Amino acid sequence: MSVVLRNAQRSVPVRRAPLRRAVCALRAALGASRFDVGLVCAGNALMQRLNGAYRQRPEPTDVLSFPFHQVAAGELPRPRCRGEYNLGDIFLGVEYIHQQCRDAGEDFEGVLVVTAAHGLCHLLGYRHDTKPAWEQMYQKEAQILEELNRLTGSRLRPLTAGLF
Amino acid sequence: MLLARSLRAVSALRPPLPAPLRRLWAAPPRALPPAPSAAPGPARSLWQLGGGAGRTALLRPRRGSAGRVSCGCGGLHTEGDKAFAQFLTDEIKEEKKIQKHKSLPKVSGGWELEVHGTEARLVRKIAGEKITVTFNINNSIPPSAEDDTQEGQKPDEQEPELTSTPNFVVEVIKDDTKQTLVLDCHYPEDEIGHEGEEESDIFTIREVSFQPTGESDWKDTNYTLNTDSLDWALYDHLMDFLADRGVDNTFADELIELSTALEHQEYIKFLEDLKSFVKCQ
């Protein structure tokens, strides 16, 4: 099924083809290739608006995930019809991420992929609001990024390392 | 929303203008040519007999033709024309007052601009390639933007600005090939300028085709790729291809600015031409 990619901002150049390849590989590593995913590259204004509307934090952020299904961490959705083969939407705050990478001297495209992996895990019920939940999510992120690293030769690590 | 455009929309609600008054001339100013087999008809005779003084006599307005403009320019003039010309004077004044760009804004990235009436062309050369982006500002303002007057909206409430979002054609010519890669690009409909709907691509590629370089006629027999059902990965490669050549979201946004400015400029020029045409010379 599809990864629907949209670049809705002009602040940061985004290479669509490699990002799509990475997200498709991560989705496959999660065992969710038959599910659609929406991916929107957003600027600070859009992220701030969404963050304010849905999390009551009106400020830019790096990623927001909107799952289609409510599932427990580690479970795949059980669609009842064709239209439910949908994991949900991920909004990547590319402008925010780009600024963070500039400040930290990190590779923007690599961090973008790691952030997308984080967002995908959220779509499948993983959370990091408690230490046990974070550990579970961290392990899954590490696993799927390792699979991607094996395919692409990259050396990507999970986003939330050191959160707890 | 441009005041003058609002006035244009509201004008449909105004009571109809008075019917044009009777023609200024008793006889038609130009006589019909006689039938070939007939003797020279009176119309030609009138011209011959009239000469300079006669012609002037024919064209001299009758006395008592109240409400008509007296002139000798040879055009029909009515009170409606006079009111129309005055209306246009006001419209032009208002449009110029709110004109955002007195000169056309530049597009960043080293693009050279050529304008021929309503058609604009941006050209860029980069490493053995020539990239041309062509668009026409005619019919480039989405209908929802132009006609979107809210019910109960107060006249003094600020209305959204008119934005020109033309389709644009990108041509990529490589120095060593005889084929031009042509990509037809569109802006999403009903999504520009609407808050809450800025979650889509700023522009999309609709069709892709190869055309012979240097030939102005479109070759129908060349395959045209429609992106409606295109593989997403291929589509992303095409978008990255364009971005590498300077046709990215920044470019698309700046093209809107340029197109909007050009459209407004042409609109004002049209109003001025119309005023000149309508008013007494």
Side-chain angles (χ1 to χ4, degrees), chain A residues 46-72:
Chain A
L46 176 56
M47 294 305 284
Q48 179 169 330
R49 187 173 66 75
L50 292 173
N51 208 11
Y54 293 99
R55 299 177 69 233
Q56 288 72 53
R57 295 181 189 179
E59 57 194 19
T61 188
D62 53 355
V63 61
L64 290 169
S65 295
F66 296 89
F68 190 88
H69 299 274
Q70 294 291 333
V71 293

mmCIF file of all heavy atoms in Angstrom, chain A residues 46-72:
data_model
loop_
_atom_site.group_PDB
_atom_site.id
_atom_site.type_symbol
_atom_site.label_atom_id
_atom_site.label_comp_id
_atom_site.label_asym_id
_atom_site.label_seq_id
_atom_site.Cartn_x
_atom_site.Cartn_y
_atom_site.Cartn_z
ATOM 1 N N LEU A 46 2.682 25.477 10.508
ATOM 2 C CA LEU A 46 1.710 24.388 10.535
ATOM 3 C C LEU A 46 1.898 23.526 11.782
ATOM 4 O O LEU A 46 0.920 23.145 12.439
ATOM 5 C CB LEU A 46 1.838 23.541 9.276
ATOM 6 C CG LEU A 46 0.936 22.293 9.185
ATOM 7 C CD1 LEU A 46 -0.531 22.664 9.347
ATOM 8 C CD2 LEU A 46 1.146 21.569 7.858
ATOM 9 N N MET A 47 3.140 23.236 12.122
ATOM 10 C CA MET A 47 3.393 22.407 13.311
ATOM 11 C C MET A 47 2.895 23.121 14.565
ATOM 12 O O MET A 47 2.320 22.493 15.463
ATOM 13 C CB MET A 47 4.889 22.098 13.425
ATOM 14 C CG MET A 47 5.435 21.220 12.310
ATOM 15 S SD MET A 47 4.580 19.661 12.098
ATOM 16 C CE MET A 47 5.206 18.686 13.461
ATOM 17 N N GLN A 48 3.106 24.405 14.615
ATOM 18 C CA GLN A 48 2.647 25.164 15.777
ATOM 19 C C GLN A 48 1.131 25.126 15.875
ATOM 20 O O GLN A 48 0.563 24.943 16.959
ATOM 21 C CB GLN A 48 3.129 26.617 15.662
ATOM 22 C CG GLN A 48 2.679 27.492 16.821
ATOM 23 C CD GLN A 48 3.369 28.842 16.835
ATOM 24 O OE1 GLN A 48 4.515 28.967 16.378
ATOM 25 N NE2 GLN A 48 2.713 29.840 17.343
ATOM 26 N N ARG A 49 0.491 25.263 14.755
ATOM 27 C CA ARG A 49 -0.982 25.256 14.758
ATOM 28 C C ARG A 49 -1.510 23.897 15.196
ATOM 29 O O ARG A 49 -2.412 23.795 16.028
ATOM 30 C CB ARG A 49 -1.492 25.613 13.369
ATOM 31 C CG ARG A 49 -2.994 25.799 13.307
ATOM 32 C CD ARG A 49 -3.423 26.317 11.940
ATOM 33 N NE ARG A 49 -3.191 25.350 10.883
ATOM 34 C CZ ARG A 49 -3.932 24.271 10.673
ATOM 35 N NH1 ARG A 49 -4.955 24.010 11.470
ATOM 36 N NH2 ARG A 49 -3.670 23.445 9.691
ATOM 37 N N LEU A 50 -0.931 22.837 14.661
ATOM 38 C CA LEU A 50 -1.399 21.490 15.012
ATOM 39 C C LEU A 50 -1.072 21.158 16.455
ATOM 40 O O LEU A 50 -1.883 20.568 17.181
ATOM 41 C CB LEU A 50 -0.754 20.452 14.083
ATOM 42 C CG LEU A 50 -1.189 20.512 12.611
ATOM 43 C CD1 LEU A 50 -0.340 19.552 11.775
ATOM 44 C CD2 LEU A 50 -2.661 20.168 12.464
ATOM 45 N N ASN A 51 0.122 21.542 16.877
ATOM 46 C CA ASN A 51 0.547 21.267 18.249
ATOM 47 C C ASN A 51 -0.364 21.989 19.241
ATOM 48 O O ASN A 51 -0.716 21.456 20.300
ATOM 49 C CB ASN A 51 2.007 21.705 18.441
ATOM 50 C CG ASN A 51 2.715 20.892 19.504
ATOM 51 O OD1 ASN A 51 2.210 19.870 19.983
ATOM 52 N ND2 ASN A 51 3.914 21.340 19.878
ATOM 53 N N GLY A 52 -0.754 23.175 18.874
ATOM 54 C CA GLY A 52 -1.654 23.931 19.732
ATOM 55 C C GLY A 52 -3.055 23.344 19.739
ATOM 56 O O GLY A 52 -3.691 23.225 20.781
ATOM 57 N N ALA A 53 -3.503 22.927 18.573
ATOM 58 C CA ALA A 53 -4.872 22.416 18.446
ATOM 59 C C ALA A 53 -5.034 21.059 19.120
ATOM 60 O O ALA A 53 -6.079 20.785 19.721
ATOM 61 C CB ALA A 53 -5.261 22.323 16.981
ATOM 62 N N TYR A 54 -4.029 20.208 19.020
ATOM 63 C CA TYR A 54 -4.204 18.821 19.464
ATOM 64 C C TYR A 54 -3.462 18.480 20.750
ATOM 65 O O TYR A 54 -3.760 17.469 21.378
ATOM 66 C CB TYR A 54 -3.775 17.867 18.353
ATOM 67 C CG TYR A 54 -4.692 17.939 17.156
ATOM 68 C CD1 TYR A 54 -4.340 18.692 16.028
ATOM 69 C CD2 TYR A 54 -5.914 17.288 17.150
ATOM 70 C CE1 TYR A 54 -5.199 18.774 14.941
ATOM 71 C CE2 TYR A 54 -6.775 17.377 16.064
ATOM 72 C CZ TYR A 54 -6.404 18.119 14.974
ATOM 73 O OH TYR A 54 -7.249 18.213 13.893
ATOM 74 N N ARG A 55 -2.504 19.320 21.120
ATOM 75 C CA ARG A 55 -1.769 19.025 22.352
ATOM 76 C C ARG A 55 -1.719 20.228 23.278
ATOM 77 O O ARG A 55 -1.010 20.206 24.293
ATOM 78 C CB ARG A 55 -0.345 18.559 22.015
ATOM 79 C CG ARG A 55 -0.295 17.298 21.188
ATOM 80 C CD ARG A 55 1.117 16.910 20.808
ATOM 81 N NE ARG A 55 1.900 16.469 21.947
ATOM 82 C CZ ARG A 55 3.074 16.978 22.271
ATOM 83 N NH1 ARG A 55 3.615 17.943 21.548
ATOM 84 N NH2 ARG A 55 3.724 16.510 23.325
ATOM 85 N N GLN A 56 -2.431 21.264 22.882
ATOM 86 C CA GLN A 56 -2.486 22.501 23.687
ATOM 87 C C GLN A 56 -1.085 23.051 23.945
ATOM 88 O O GLN A 56 -0.808 23.626 24.995
ATOM 89 C CB GLN A 56 -3.203 22.246 25.036
ATOM 90 C CG GLN A 56 -4.710 22.032 24.888
ATOM 91 C CD GLN A 56 -5.044 20.687 24.255
ATOM 92 O OE1 GLN A 56 -4.588 19.638 24.714
ATOM 93 N NE2 GLN A 56 -5.842 20.696 23.191
ATOM 94 N N ARG A 57 -0.208 22.854 22.982
ATOM 95 C CA ARG A 57 1.139 23.420 23.071
ATOM 96 C C ARG A 57 1.400 24.168 21.770
ATOM 97 O O ARG A 57 1.965 23.623 20.823
ATOM 98 C CB ARG A 57 2.180 22.316 23.249
ATOM 99 C CG ARG A 57 2.055 21.554 24.541
ATOM 100 C CD ARG A 57 3.142 20.496 24.650
ATOM 101 N NE ARG A 57 2.919 19.607 25.772
ATOM 102 C CZ ARG A 57 3.699 18.583 26.083
ATOM 103 N NH1 ARG A 57 4.757 18.323 25.344
ATOM 104 N NH2 ARG A 57 3.423 17.830 27.124
ATOM 105 N N PRO A 58 1.015 25.412 21.728
ATOM 106 C CA PRO A 58 1.122 26.165 20.467
ATOM 107 C C PRO A 58 2.558 26.581 20.174
ATOM 108 O O PRO A 58 2.916 27.763 20.274
ATOM 109 C CB PRO A 58 0.213 27.380 20.713
ATOM 110 C CG PRO A 58 0.218 27.557 22.193
ATOM 111 C CD PRO A 58 0.360 26.197 22.797
ATOM 112 N N GLU A 59 3.365 25.614 19.809
ATOM 113 C CA GLU A 59 4.760 25.886 19.472
ATOM 114 C C GLU A 59 5.196 24.846 18.453
ATOM 115 O O GLU A 59 4.651 23.732 18.415
ATOM 116 C CB GLU A 59 5.638 25.783 20.732
ATOM 117 C CG GLU A 59 5.541 24.443 21.427
ATOM 118 C CD GLU A 59 6.115 24.439 22.822
ATOM 119 O OE1 GLU A 59 6.264 25.527 23.408
ATOM 120 O OE2 GLU A 59 6.406 23.339 23.331
ATOM 121 N N PRO A 60 6.204 25.213 17.641
ATOM 122 C CA PRO A 60 6.684 24.240 16.648
ATOM 123 C C PRO A 60 7.277 23.026 17.342
ATOM 124 O O PRO A 60 7.771 23.118 18.468
ATOM 125 C CB PRO A 60 7.759 25.013 15.881
ATOM 126 C CG PRO A 60 7.515 26.435 16.178
ATOM 127 C CD PRO A 60 6.897 26.504 17.531
ATOM 128 N N THR A 61 7.237 21.902 16.673
ATOM 129 C CA THR A 61 7.835 20.692 17.199
ATOM 130 C C THR A 61 8.347 19.845 16.044
ATOM 131 O O THR A 61 8.148 20.204 14.877
ATOM 132 C CB THR A 61 6.826 19.904 18.071
ATOM 133 O OG1 THR A 61 7.503 18.836 18.715
ATOM 134 C CG2 THR A 61 5.691 19.368 17.227
ATOM 135 N N ASP A 62 9.005 18.722 16.390
ATOM 136 C CA ASP A 62 9.655 17.953 15.329
ATOM 137 C C ASP A 62 8.719 16.939 14.663
ATOM 138 O O ASP A 62 8.846 16.679 13.469
ATOM 139 C CB ASP A 62 10.909 17.247 15.871
ATOM 140 C CG ASP A 62 10.609 16.409 17.116
ATOM 141 O OD1 ASP A 62 9.469 16.446 17.622
ATOM 142 O OD2 ASP A 62 11.543 15.719 17.584
ATOM 143 N N VAL A 63 7.803 16.355 15.422
ATOM 144 C CA VAL A 63 6.945 15.346 14.808
ATOM 145 C C VAL A 63 5.612 15.265 15.543
ATOM 146 O O VAL A 63 5.555 15.406 16.774
ATOM 147 C CB VAL A 63 7.646 13.955 14.788
ATOM 148 C CG1 VAL A 63 7.968 13.474 16.195
ATOM 149 C CG2 VAL A 63 6.816 12.930 14.036
ATOM 150 N N LEU A 64 4.569 15.069 14.797
ATOM 151 C CA LEU A 64 3.240 14.825 15.343
ATOM 152 C C LEU A 64 2.643 13.655 14.582
ATOM 153 O O LEU A 64 2.688 13.624 13.364
ATOM 154 C CB LEU A 64 2.337 16.055 15.189
ATOM 155 C CG LEU A 64 2.673 17.273 16.053
ATOM 156 C CD1 LEU A 64 1.888 18.485 15.600
ATOM 157 C CD2 LEU A 64 2.403 16.986 17.533
ATOM 158 N N SER A 65 2.105 12.705 15.346
ATOM 159 C CA SER A 65 1.535 11.510 14.718
ATOM 160 C C SER A 65 0.052 11.430 15.008
ATOM 161 O O SER A 65 -0.376 11.671 16.146
ATOM 162 C CB SER A 65 2.225 10.256 15.261
ATOM 163 O OG SER A 65 3.574 10.235 14.886
ATOM 164 N N PHE A 66 -0.692 11.070 14.013
ATOM 165 C CA PHE A 66 -2.150 10.964 14.143
ATOM 166 C C PHE A 66 -2.551 9.554 13.703
ATOM 167 O O PHE A 66 -2.743 9.292 12.519
ATOM 168 C CB PHE A 66 -2.840 12.016 13.278
ATOM 169 C CG PHE A 66 -2.536 13.421 13.698
ATOM 170 C CD1 PHE A 66 -1.431 14.094 13.178
ATOM 171 C CD2 PHE A 66 -3.322 14.088 14.626
ATOM 172 C CE1 PHE A 66 -1.138 15.394 13.565
ATOM 173 C CE2 PHE A 66 -3.035 15.383 15.016
ATOM 174 C CZ PHE A 66 -1.943 16.036 14.494
ATOM 175 N N PRO A 67 -2.638 8.625 14.686
ATOM 176 C CA PRO A 67 -2.946 7.246 14.309
ATOM 177 C C PRO A 67 -4.381 7.101 13.825
ATOM 178 O O PRO A 67 -5.291 7.776 14.325
ATOM 179 C CB PRO A 67 -2.726 6.452 15.596
ATOM 180 C CG PRO A 67 -2.510 7.434 16.681
ATOM 181 C CD PRO A 67 -2.438 8.802 16.110
ATOM 182 N N PHE A 68 -4.555 6.229 12.870
ATOM 183 C CA PHE A 68 -5.901 5.918 12.375
ATOM 184 C C PHE A 68 -6.589 4.938 13.313
ATOM 185 O O PHE A 68 -7.793 4.983 13.506
ATOM 186 C CB PHE A 68 -5.797 5.340 10.962
ATOM 187 C CG PHE A 68 -7.115 5.194 10.256
ATOM 188 C CD1 PHE A 68 -7.643 6.243 9.522
ATOM 189 C CD2 PHE A 68 -7.821 3.998 10.324
ATOM 190 C CE1 PHE A 68 -8.861 6.104 8.866
ATOM 191 C CE2 PHE A 68 -9.037 3.861 9.669
ATOM 192 C CZ PHE A 68 -9.559 4.918 8.932
ATOM 193 N N HIS A 69 -5.799 4.026 13.860
ATOM 194 C CA HIS A 69 -6.345 3.003 14.768
ATOM 195 C C HIS A 69 -5.757 3.203 16.163
ATOM 196 O O HIS A 69 -4.632 3.660 16.311
ATOM 197 C CB HIS A 69 -5.963 1.595 14.287
ATOM 198 C CG HIS A 69 -6.491 1.243 12.929
ATOM 199 N ND1 HIS A 69 -7.751 0.715 12.736
ATOM 200 C CD2 HIS A 69 -5.940 1.344 11.702
ATOM 201 C CE1 HIS A 69 -7.938 0.496 11.431
ATOM 202 N NE2 HIS A 69 -6.850 0.869 10.787
ATOM 203 N N GLN A 70 -6.520 2.812 17.155
ATOM 204 C CA GLN A 70 -6.001 2.767 18.524
ATOM 205 C C GLN A 70 -5.573 1.326 18.782
ATOM 206 O O GLN A 70 -6.416 0.429 18.853
ATOM 207 C CB GLN A 70 -7.097 3.168 19.525
ATOM 208 C CG GLN A 70 -7.535 4.622 19.409
ATOM 209 C CD GLN A 70 -6.453 5.595 19.865
ATOM 210 O OE1 GLN A 70 -5.614 5.251 20.691
ATOM 211 N NE2 GLN A 70 -6.458 6.791 19.314
ATOM 212 N N VAL A 71 -4.268 1.126 18.878
ATOM 213 C CA VAL A 71 -3.771 -0.235 19.104
ATOM 214 C C VAL A 71 -2.785 -0.216 20.248
ATOM 215 O O VAL A 71 -2.196 0.836 20.569
ATOM 216 C CB VAL A 71 -3.093 -0.819 17.842
ATOM 217 C CG1 VAL A 71 -4.103 -1.043 16.742
ATOM 218 C CG2 VAL A 71 -1.972 0.081 17.364
ATOM 219 N N ALA A 72 -2.618 -1.381 20.842
ATOM 220 C CA ALA A 72 -1.601 -1.506 21.890
ATOM 221 C C ALA A 72 -0.244 -1.589 21.213
ATOM 222 O O ALA A 72 -0.120 -2.065 20.080
ATOM 223 C CB ALA A 72 -1.881 -2.750 22.713
#
